[in-house]
Amino acid sequence: MTAPKRARSAQPSLDRVDRRILDHLADHGRSSLADLAEAVSISPSSAQRRLRRLESEEVVRGYRAVLDPVAVDRGLVVHLTVTLVDHTENTVGRFERHIVDLAGLVSCHHVTGDVDYLLRIDLADVEALDVLLRRTLARVPGVARFTTMVATSALVDRVTRV
């Protein structure tokens, strides 16, 4: 899980060079300062200053490894929509407490429209999906219904940088 966002006093001001740095880091998070500086056509000392500022302002909030989903038993990408029985604080709170520690949960968004939540869960296989649906989601208090959609391919996936 990622840490909750800390409140910031103001939206950081990002210029064209900052945005080029961020674009480069999104694809090459382990770049050396020299490589970063060369990629965005600035000096290494300027790259270091800018990167430190972006980190201190929490524009860059961390670095992580991109893993092979099949190698770590997360090759099946499942999107679920969840509709709750009502929107009381009690129902929403119970649902959210049950969901946040769900194995394989990549994201959970409270959304507008005909459903209440959109989840992405990466699982090992269809059997793991069956267990998730029967033993976990079907037993979460306050869930009126859920719909599953299994991804058959990924055109773009920024989580795994496809």
Side-chain angles (χ1 to χ4, degrees), residues 86-128:
D86 59 50
H87 299 104
T88 64
E89 190 174 323
N90 187 37
T91 300
V92 169
R94 281 188 310 184
F95 173 76
E96 291 180 355
R97 281 190 300 279
H98 277 82
I99 293 303
V100 294
D101 293 323
L102 201 60
L105 182 67
V106 175
S107 63
C108 177
H109 298 273
H110 190 220
V111 297
T112 62
D114 294 335
V115 300
D116 297 314
Y117 290 88
L118 175 64
L119 288 70
R120 174 179 169 172
I121 302 174
D122 291 358
L123 300 166
D125 50 35
V126 179
E127 291 79 17

